[in-house]
Every structure is written in structure tokens, then in C-alpha cells.
């Protein structure tokens, strides 16, 4: 089998399709995306002795996936720590987006999940057992801005010194969604251990060589056909499927 | 261990708490509730040769749980058939409710899931491999109205003739949420094989003697403490936990 890898433009159009003709709300998609990410963490770092997972959340919807993942990880027996320095700046006319962000934070606060201060990321990074990179997603363009650039550089630095499982959502943050990891020094040095592609892999992730999961078990037949996704079969009731080593069809 | 069983009034208040101080949207809760139900079906009837599951959806939010379960079951490899004779009649001021209902139907239509005509329930019942009863939930009072009363009587009739796994959500439909199955002739004769209690079991289900799952892995500590839920530990990444034989604490 072979899987279709999507451009950034196609991924954004597919997302719009899911929320228009697909009938999905952002809350539903984010819930299942975050659950997929949490399951990938579970398969990477078993939840013995409540391992710490530092979840780096970006300013867009991918940050929301990270917040949902944090909630599920707490229920799975982990000790998530959430770094969320730039709250969702979506304009009010994006129905549900801002409300959703505030609600997700409330859910985590009610679980007693620790929010890491903006400047405490490096300190928490020293002692965490895993990192979930939910900083930049399939709409990312250009160069990473602060404080995310420094956070990614800090992850690279710790990866050089000790074993630290790093999982990225959709595209390793700083990589070009279409172009991969060739353009900036940061993208050349940042290599997560695990990638969780949501709905379908992105073109830029063809350069990724670690463990690769696909999540987002909600795509209907017409959408899969429109984008020629050729989706694999998911096992059992799992929200993720291992696609490590599966070749791109394009 | 022992589990707190909730009155209808407490269950309704807990639901309101989840959507106010808990920060949850109805879409999130319904997504995880429906996923719990689909996992319970998976553990009851394995998805070999695409078994048919007839999903009876009531007019309230529990019908929505059934619609979400239908979507996940299709992705799990089942052939769900949805009987949804009374579309959600929630007034417009219940934010999200009506919209949510329409979106859930669209999602199923895009998956090619069959909607069963109002008067075709009995026919489909003859050939289905399992029934998911998502008709009445924790707000149910009084006597079942048509067409739901006849549908439940038809299920009882088929159960007498052949093996037919029946799973109920939260409370077997027609049972009193507080009083159980002693009051009406229908409630005395309707006994599902599996019960999926969401968030916490309801008082009336103390009379239930089959396989009992708890779902709704999203309750935070303060809410569990307020209602003295004494929740069990869920296994792995599962959205349900087997509580068969666990005694009520009240």
C-alpha cells in the first residue's frame, strides 16, 4: 500500500471540508485529534509511575489538540505539564474557536494539571519524561517566532544530552509543511522520535524517519476519495494506526 | 470497592456541572459518550464479517450518543443501521443542541450509513446482529411514548425467539431512572444484556444483572468528589471499564 501525502493547501482545504460538507464541529475534530495524540504517547512511553509529559501548545488549533491530549493523558495515568504561552488568537468570527480554547483550559485546570510559566519551559524540559510538540501545524509558514523558536532549540539541545522521547503532531514544528526540514538550521536539527499525522500525512514529513502514526479516524469515503487518501485500516478500537515505513503514493 | 449510583436529579445536575464549571461542550461529551458505547459494542460483538448493529436513537441527547456511536462503529468495521424517528426537538436556546443533531446526521450520511424508516424498525430487527438502545436516558420520566414503546416491545419479542445481544445506554429504556424496572409491564420484560452507564451508574440500574460497563472517561476530581462517585480505574486507553458485579455504595 501507499499513502497520499498532502500539501499544506490541500490539508487546509480538507479541514474546511470536514467542517462544512463533513458536518463536523471543531470540538469533535479536536477531541478525536487530541485522543489520537494521547494514544501515541501511550504507545511510546507506558504510563508506569505517572511519567511527566511536557506538552508544548502553539497559538493555533494544533495547540488545542495538545490541550485535549493533556486531558486524556491525565486520565491515562500520566502527569502532563502544559506550556501554552500564546493563547488562541483566533478572531471571534471563527465560531467556537475562542470559546473552545477557554473551555479546554478550564477542563485542565479542574484536573489540577500544571500550566508551565512562559519562561519555565527550559526548566521543565530538564526533568520531563517525554515531550509532545503541538506547536505548529499544517498551516505553518515561514520562520518559527519566539518563544517557540527558543523552545524548539532547547528540545534539540536536551535531545543531544539524554534520551528524551519527542512526539510531534502533523509536522515537526519548524519544518516546512510542504518542503520538509531542509530550509532552516533549526528544522535541520529538530528530529522528533514519533510523528502523529492527523487525517493524512503532510508532504514535508516525507523526510521523517522515526515511528509514524496516523490519527483522526473520522474521514468519510467521499472526502478520502476527493483527496485520494488511500487510508489504511485502523486496528480494533484504536484512534491511531502505525504507518511507519509505508511509502508515499506521491 | 463500591460505586455511587446517581438519582435522575443528581445525574442531570452533574451534566449541567460538566457543561458549566466543567468547561465541556455538548459536542465533546457526546463524542466521548458515543465512543464509549461503540467500544462496548466492540467488546460484545466482535466486528468479524461486518455485523449489523441496529441503533435506536431517542429524541434527546442520548439519541445523539447513539448517532456518534454509529459513526465510530462504521469506522470499527460494523454495518450500523440507524433508527431515529424523532429528530432532536431541543429548543433553539439550548446552544449547540439542534445544530449538533443535524451535523451528526450529516456525518453518518457521508459514511453511507443506512437510516431506517420509522415503520421499518421491526423488519430490520429481524436480521440485525445486535441492538444499541439509545432511546431514553437519565432524564426519562413517565411512560414510553410511541413509536418507542412498540420498538421496545418488538425487541423483547425477538429476544424471546432468538439470541440477540441488546446494549442499553445509561438506563434500559422504559425503566425508571430512580425506580428501576418494577413499575410498568414493559420495564419488567425488557432486560438488555449489556448496560453502558455514562459518568456514573443510575439508581434504577441497581436491578440490572448483565454485563455492566462504565463510560465517560472525562470526569474531573472536584466533580467526582462533589457527587462522591468513587470512580474505578479505567484500563489502558479504553473509554470504558467493566464494573460488572461492583456493588453500589448507596
Amino acid at each position: 500500500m501507499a499513502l497520499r501525502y498532502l500539501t499544506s493547501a490541500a490539508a487546509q482545504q480538507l479541514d474546511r471540508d470536514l467542517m462544512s460538507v463533513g458536518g463536523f464541529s471543531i470540538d469533535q475534530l479536536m477531541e478525536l485529534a487530541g485522543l489520537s495524540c494521547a494514544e501515541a504517547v501511550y504507545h511510546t512511553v507506558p504510563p508506569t509511575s505517572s511519567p511527566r509529559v511536557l506538552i508544548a501548545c502553539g497559538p493555533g488549533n494544533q495547540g488545542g489538540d495538545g490541550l485535549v491530549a493533556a486531558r486524556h493523558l491525565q486520565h491515562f495515568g500520566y502527569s502532563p505539564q502544559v506550556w501554552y504561552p500564546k493563547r488562541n488568537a483566533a478572531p471571534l468570527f471563527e465560531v467556537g474557536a475562542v470559546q473552545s480554547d477557554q473551555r479546554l483550559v478550564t477542563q485542565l485546570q479542574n484536573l489540577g494539571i500544571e500550566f508551565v510559566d512562559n519562561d519555565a519551559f527550559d526548566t521543565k524540559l530538564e526533568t520531563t519524561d517525554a515531550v509532545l510538540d503541538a506547536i505548529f501545524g499544517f498551516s505553518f509558514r515561514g520562520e518559527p517566532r519566539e518563544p517557540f523558536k527558543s523552545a524548539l532549540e532547547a528540545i534539540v539541545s536536551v535531545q543531544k544530552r539524554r534520551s528524551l522521547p519527542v512526539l510531534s503532531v502533523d509536522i515537526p514544528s519548524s519544518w516546512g509543511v510542504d518542503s520538509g526540514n531542509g530550509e532552516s538550521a533549526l528544522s535541520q536539527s529538530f528530529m522528533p522520535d514519533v510523528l502523529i499525522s492527523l487525517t493524512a500525512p503532510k508532504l514535508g514529513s516525507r523526510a521523517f524517519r522515526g515511528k509514524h502514526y496516523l490519527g483522526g479516524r473520522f474521514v468519510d469515503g467521499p472526502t478520502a476519495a476527493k483527496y485520494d487518501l488511500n487510508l489504511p485500516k485502523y486496528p480494533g478500537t484504536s484512534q491511531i494506526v502505525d504507518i511507519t515505513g509505508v511509502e508515499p503514493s506521491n
Side-chain angles (χ1 to χ4, degrees), chain A residues 35-80:
Chain A
L35 181 55
S36 297
C37 296
E39 288 192 11
V41 171
Y42 185 91
H43 288 289
T44 307
V45 183
T48 44
S49 25
S50 301
R52 282 160 290 203
V53 183
L54 182 55
I55 301 167
C57 297
N61 284 342
Q62 191 175 97
D65 298 344
L67 297 174
V68 172
R71 169 160 44 80
H72 287 293
L73 285 170
Q74 173 85 7
H75 286 295
F76 291 172
Y78 293 80
S79 300

Side-chain angles (χ1 to χ4, degrees), chain A residues 55 64 66 72 121 158 172 198 243 245:
Chain A
I55 301 167
H72 287 293
F121 183 82
V158 173
L198 295 171
I243 56 168

Side-chain angles (χ1 to χ4, degrees), chain A residues 12 41 47 49-50 57 59 63 69 82 86 93 101 112 127 156 191-192 200 208 211-212 221 226 241 246:
Chain A
Q12 291 177 59
V41 171
S49 25
S50 301
C57 297
V82 174
K86 300 280 182 192
F93 55 80
D101 162 70
T127 54
V156 170
M191 182 62 77
F208 177 71
K211 188 83 169 174
H212 196 171
K226 175 177 174 183
V241 53
V246 175

